[in-house]
Amino acid sequence: SYEVSSEQEMVVDFQGSGFTYKDPQLHSVTGEFGRADRTALGFKDFFQTHKCNDICRALNLQNHCSFASLSSSVVKEGK
């Protein structure tokens, strides 16, 4: 979702199996998804704990390790 949205939105923390998933959490650059939308801080937290795997490689996703290394103040300011 992050790459498809041109790094503007991210779907995280969804649960389910097969083709049924529910309870997603959404983060966006603008904070448009309500009070649980953690904006760029949510992106940073995801990338700090994510470990790229065979699925990431099969989808040819970019490695965003540099995003995770940004300080919280830089992310809050949108730099």
Side-chain angles (χ1 to χ4, degrees), residues 2 40-50 63-76 79:
Y2 184 70
L41 288 174
F43 300 164
K44 180 180 184 291
D45 287 348
F46 173 82
F47 289 124
Q48 280 185 323
T49 59
H50 175 73
N63 184 327
H64 295 281
C65 292
S66 60
F67 190 101
S69 65
L70 293 175
S71 73
S72 294
S73 61
V74 169
V75 172
K76 282 181 186 175
K79 293 182 180 175

Side-chain angles (χ1 to χ4, degrees), residues 2-76:
Y2 184 70
E3 288 187 22
V4 171
S5 70
S6 299
E7 301 179 356
Q8 300 296 299
E9 300 172 350
M10 178 183 282
V11 179
V12 297
D13 194 29
F14 51 90
Q15 302 166 21
S17 64
F19 292 103
T20 304
Y21 293 92
K22 47 188 157 175
D23 196 27
Q25 178 55 57
L26 306 170
H27 300 308
S28 66
V29 171
T30 62
E32 65 191 277
F33 296 117
R35 62 187 178 137
D37 182 339
R38 297 189 58 235
T39 64
L41 288 174
F43 300 164
K44 180 180 184 291
D45 287 348
F46 173 82
F47 289 124
Q48 280 185 323
T49 59
H50 175 73
K51 302 272 191 254
C52 286
N53 56 38
D54 291 339
I55 295 170
C56 298
R57 288 183 282 280
L59 293 171
N60 200 30
L61 299 177
Q62 295 178 22
N63 184 327
H64 295 281
C65 292
S66 60
F67 190 101
S69 65
L70 293 175
S71 73
S72 294
S73 61
V74 169
V75 172
K76 282 181 186 175

